Amino acid sequence: MAFPSDLEIARSASLKPMDDVAAEMGLPQHLLEPYGSDVLKVGLNAIDELADAPRAKYILVSAITPTPLGEGKTTTTVGLGQAFKHIGKRATVAIRQPSMGPTLGIKGGAAGGGYSQVVPMELLNLHLTGDMHAVTAAHNLLSAMVDNHLYQGNKLGLDLTEITWRRVLDMNDRALRNIVVGLGSKSDGVPRQTGFDITAASEVMAALALTTGMDDLRGRLGRIVVGYTTEGEPVTADQLDAAGAMTVLLREAIKPNLMQTYENTPVLVHCGPFGNIATGNSSVVADLIGLHCGDYLVTEAGFGADMGAERFFNIKCRVSGQRPDAAIVVATVRALKAHSGKFRIVAGKPLPEDLLAENPDDVHAGAANLRKQIENIRLHGVSPVVAINAFPTDHPSEHAAIREIAASMNARSAVCTNFAEGGAGAAELAEAVAEAADEPNDFAFLYPAEATLREKIETIATKVYGADGVSYAPLAKRQLNTYERAGFGNLPMCMAKTHLSISSDPTLKGAPTGWTLPVREVRASVGAGFVYPICGEMRTMPGLGTAPAAARIDLDEQGEIVGLS
Amino acid sequence: MAFPSDLEIARSASLKPMDDVAAEMGLPQHLLEPYGSDVLKVGLNAIDELADAPRAKYILVSAITPTPLGEGKTTTTVGLGQAFKHIGKRATVAIRQPSMGPTLGIKGGAAGGGYSQVVPMELLNLHLTGDMHAVTAAHNLLSAMVDNHLYQGNKLGLDLTEITWRRVLDMNDRALRNIVVGLGSKSDGVPRQTGFDITAASEVMAALALTTGMDDLRGRLGRIVVGYTTEGEPVTADQLDAAGAMTVLLREAIKPNLMQTYENTPVLVHCGPFGNIATGNSSVVADLIGLHCGDYLVTEAGFGADMGAERFFNIKCRVSGQRPDAAIVVATVRALKAHSGKFRIVAGKPLPEDLLAENPDDVHAGAANLRKQIENIRLHGVSPVVAINAFPTDHPSEHAAIREIAASMNARSAVCTNFAEGGAGAAELAEAVAEAADEPNDFAFLYPAEATLREKIETIATKVYGADGVSYAPLAKRQLNTYERAGFGNLPMCMAKTHLSISSDPTLKGAPTGWTLPVREVRASVGAGFVYPICGEMRTMPGLGTAPAAARIDLDEQGEIVGLS
């Protein structure tokens, strides 16, 4: 019999009543609001009310540089969360809300996989409690206020060619990347070029993920810079009188969503900022709650350790004031083989056949990437643990090769079979993580807030990416000077770089050396609270492929969803 | 002391637990899903499970031709629902979900007013359970599939200049009315002109409002025509493989939302199709449920009786198979005075001062409009009742004038003070409605489904609008021929006409005669299931004004919403 599909497994789950899931976390009833029977919203008062409860160990799940297919980081995160119960501990999982665009596009869902899933997966993958739509609405309200300001006479003197605020939709829609608005007659607005990004790329999403509460959110939204005047002065959402209504639209979305895994482990699902131009981490408020709900809080950061983990340490933890206790680097045989540089993996295409043959030497040939990502965890004073996410096509000798690489770096490691076996398959990982988290905590930021913007960029580029240095395009230099002058110099840095290489060149595998990071331009998410240098082509609106997932999704004769994976 | 604001009144409401509200309607627990503490979703199985419960009297609330300010039709609907309890009867109210765009624009909320409101009004006015966003997502998925089809080679041969499917957002954003998409490089799609409508104008919204269940919805969405091939053949959502995923996205949105009024009367809130180019009525499924939950189901139709009521009778009741038992025509002193032609009322501007002075003669001068709208109810064999929605600035002699007009038409009437007094203020109306609903039911459609499209248009124009006839532009003639040939000839007619006059000229007040209805073009909402002739300028994407409501909406220091009215 074939291994059942993710959707079939998810359907077979024995869901525990959500009130029981919450009660086991110590969340009192008055903080909970049901949204249907399978998800609760958790009120923000939980942060204060739980402050005296014991603090959980704070575990980050990161990874080596992934292939375009992803390496099962969410599956490992969910599996580890489940595994703690198998070693007698209580854990909570905190993950991002999947973006619906890719779910309907090429990717399918993002609930983990196999017997390590968040359930019901169709709820997680489609709408959930509407937070994503609330972000869309708040973002586009500001967009409408910008264009209405132009239409009503442009009293603030916005330079039409310097408006940086676009619109967003949670959809893969390439035709909206570059558009001209305001066509038609005089009453139809002011013509100008702009475009749509996917909602995950919205600065509102990043602000929501980084906020610590309603007042803080109101402040962040007000500081959003939508563009510049003809004199070069920034124009903010507060100047357009939009931030109050935007905050009101996010009144429910600021509350984390509580779901459960296949094995009834609690999961806080909250926010989904893009991993390339934003932080790629779930929300601060979910973590501030989850850190007082058990023995371990397991959260996930997007892409490899050079990307999501670096931002987790230097942006998210700086805002939250929390210190991580251990960090996992998820590795797979196929990805390490790919880092040997001998294979090319393309999303939507079958894996190369010789990549699937037993060959531990190919795994060793890709070791540099794993070593560098372990080092990137250690750079922040955090204990690394290597999780080997096992695939049915792997060979024991190849898993052994990964363990040897980890051992050579003095890092703990464990083979994880939780996709096929659930939490029990990650029990060894849970033991290793527990040991790592008990080591002395030497967590430290990579750079101080007071460092200049250039110093921050150069520190990340040389220490984390292994670059020789940084080259700035003239535009980037001007922008850095502008931001320093405007008082944005103390913001942390969120490098917009490819996730497919530690370098800025997606074709370079392993741990490239002897290269210079090119910074083409620099943008500032002043409201969310970071500066992001653009180091390569960054796509902020995906497209649909030749065979979109949406074309397969339907209801069967029993009214059950089919085609969602 | 000033009369409290709608928001202040709403906050003072004593909300009953929603489970109790549902229980009093006879809705069993297993059909209910809570969304927060103040709203439940009602499962569609309720239609079958309640089928044997006694049938309520079906009461429509319509109006005379309104001023741009509206005449308090929702306030009357809610007040009447509340009033039935005061005369010892059980009633349910069924209304549309307000569009968020206008709430953030000029209009403020749409929850009724004063002590005749749906509460919590901020929940009703902002997001509710996300149905509107689900419609947006389903609609825009089809849009993305259309543009992706062009990008991937356009195998179906869509004519780029004949693509009628646009995109939608629930926002007042004039700059999106006319846009060019697909700019940029070759990988950014195919350039073409298109635009956004407000979500309420989406055919998906109209289909959701008219559907009778999941299978029926799947069928309607599949039949949506997105455009035409170069050979003039229609291309459907089914041909683009989009309708399955669209249906899945609407899986929760198809379930009506249950809330309550200030006096704890149950309110089914569901769907909000635009009143000018679509049906302007709440959903069929909500009515099919509500008709078995008490003695009376009170529902509202958009704009005047020539608009929403005519569509309620001939489109909605044709789909649902239900017969209305009475229909209310809401009239106000100020609107009837405006129908004298002596005054001009502009949204966002103060009322003319002499309109507020005591003058029953001016009321009589506008009587023709009320008479014609009463006649429009009687044309369908339904008993009319005139509800006089009293304003503090009215004079008793003016109310008496309206009652005289009603009496001259042999119609019952009642003065309603439910804005200030709650349900007790509409008890007299409830008595009159109960009497009217007990009269023999002679309900009949205005035209048979088999009539030609032209016959349907001409029947509505001459009988309901009082036109001498209809003139068709050459484009309209071609389109009517195309639709008849394509097999759409048996669809009912949804006239897209101004709501500010019974005629097609918004400046003509009263009951204009001696005019001809000009049909400029004719469009077909094949999926939703109607044809709509365009008779004048129809705006499908509102704009923001010089002082948008959004600029006043904010949170106060206690975290409470301010500025929402």
Side-chain angles (χ1 to χ4, degrees), chain B residues 493-527:
Chain B
M493 201 54 60
C494 185
M495 307 292 283
K497 177 184 78 68
T498 178
H499 61 285
L500 296 170
S501 171
I502 300 185
S503 78
S504 56
D505 178 349
T507 65
L508 298 180
K509 299 301 165 191
T513 53
W515 59 283
T516 299
L517 181 76
V519 176
R520 202 183 65 204
E521 64 171 291
V522 185
R523 299 185 196 157
S525 283
V526 182

Side-chain angles (χ1 to χ4, degrees), chain B residues 204-276:
Chain B
V204 175
M205 178 64 89
L208 191 67
L210 285 173
T211 195
T212 53
M214 238 19 217
D215 284 351
D216 176 79
L217 180 63
R218 177 67 180 78
R220 286 180 194 267
L221 296 177
R223 291 192 293 275
I224 286 175
V225 173
V226 300
Y228 295 83
T229 66
T230 42
E231 280 78 42
E233 293 300 315
V235 174
T236 66
D238 261 342
Q239 289 175 272
L240 290 163
D241 292 326
M246 293 168 72
T247 311
V248 168
L249 288 175
L250 296 169
R251 213 167 40 114
E252 297 302 316
I254 198 174
K255 302 174 189 167
N257 307 286
L258 181 62
M259 298 182 70
Q260 61 186 298
T261 72
Y262 186 85
E263 298 181 5
N264 313 123
T265 303
V267 183
L268 290 163
V269 182
H270 201 214
C271 299
F274 233 35
N276 54 6

Side-chain angles (χ1 to χ4, degrees), chain B residues 136-467:
Chain B
T136 303
H139 184 117
N140 292 335
L141 171 61
L142 180 52
S143 313
M145 294 289 269
V146 168
D147 272 296
N148 192 52
H149 186 80
L150 301 180
Y151 174 73
Q152 303 289 352
N154 193 14
K155 278 191 195 143
L156 292 169
L158 268 164
D159 182 340
L160 259 70
T161 64
E162 294 289 340
I163 296 174
T164 48
W165 194 253
R166 293 159 48 98
R167 286 174 178 80
V168 298
L169 268 185
D170 187 12
M171 195 60 67
N172 282 16
D173 195 344
R174 75 180 77 237
L176 291 179
R177 284 175 192 152
N178 302 290
I179 69 174
V180 172
V181 299
L183 300 173
S185 69
K186 199 173 173 181
S187 68
D188 298 325
V190 177
R192 65 185 187 89
Q193 185 158 351
T194 178
F196 278 72
D197 298 320
I198 193 164
T199 300
S202 165
E203 184 176 346
V204 175
M205 178 64 89
L208 191 67
L210 285 173
T211 195
T212 53
M214 238 19 217
D215 284 351
D216 176 79
L217 180 63
R218 177 67 180 78
R220 286 180 194 267
L221 296 177
R223 291 192 293 275
I224 286 175
V225 173
V226 300
Y228 295 83
T229 66
T230 42
E231 280 78 42
E233 293 300 315
V235 174
T236 66
D238 261 342
Q239 289 175 272
L240 290 163
D241 292 326
M246 293 168 72
T247 311
V248 168
L249 288 175
L250 296 169
R251 213 167 40 114
E252 297 302 316
I254 198 174
K255 302 174 189 167
N257 307 286
L258 181 62
M259 298 182 70
Q260 61 186 298
T261 72
Y262 186 85
E263 298 181 5
N264 313 123
T265 303
V267 183
L268 290 163
V269 182
H270 201 214
C271 299
F274 233 35
N276 54 6
I277 60 151
T279 51
N281 278 275
S282 58
S283 81
V284 165
V285 291
D287 285 7
L288 292 179
I289 295 169
L291 274 168
H292 295 277
C293 292
D295 303 312
Y296 294 90
L297 178 69
V298 182
T299 189
E300 180 189 354
F303 300 142
D306 56 318
M307 303 287 289
E310 185 273 309
R311 293 155 183 177
F312 174 85
F313 297 138
N314 293 302
I315 303 178
K316 187 177 176 184
C317 289
R318 206 182 293 258
V319 167
S320 70
Q322 298 298 321
R323 301 164 70 87
D325 296 288
I328 291 161
V329 181
V330 176
T332 60
V333 168
R334 70 178 185 192
L336 279 181
K337 284 182 177 175
H339 280 295
S340 72
K342 295 187 192 165
F343 309 97
R344 192 156 162 269
I345 298 179
V346 180
K349 297 272 164 67
L351 291 173
E353 274 206 19
D354 46 348
L355 180 121
L356 298 175
E358 178 167 7
N359 196 335
D361 289 345
D362 282 346
V363 174
H364 276 290
N369 187 272
L370 174 56
R371 284 201 201 94
K372 180 62 188 141
Q373 300 290 29
I374 292 171
E375 184 186 305
N376 286 340
I377 303 295
R378 285 234 172 84
L379 272 176
H380 297 87
V382 176
S383 300
V385 179
V386 175
I388 302 160
N389 181 24
F391 281 69
T393 47
D394 294 351
H395 301 86
S397 62
E398 297 170 332
H399 291 162
I402 301 180
R403 301 197 69 149
E404 286 161 23
I405 301 163
S408 75
M409 296 287 290
N410 288 317
R412 293 175 177 83
S413 66
V415 176
C416 301
T417 55
N418 52 285
F419 180 94
E421 296 170 24
E428 188 193 343
L429 176 65
E431 298 278 12
V433 168
E435 286 173 26
D438 282 340
E439 290 182 352
N441 192 321
D442 298 322
F443 175 64
F445 300 128
L446 192 66
Y447 53 81
E450 313 79 67
T452 66
L453 294 175
R454 280 176 178 77
E455 284 167 353
K456 291 169 189 168
I457 294 171
E458 286 152 24
T459 301
I460 297 171
T462 55
K463 292 199 179 165
V464 177
Y465 302 161

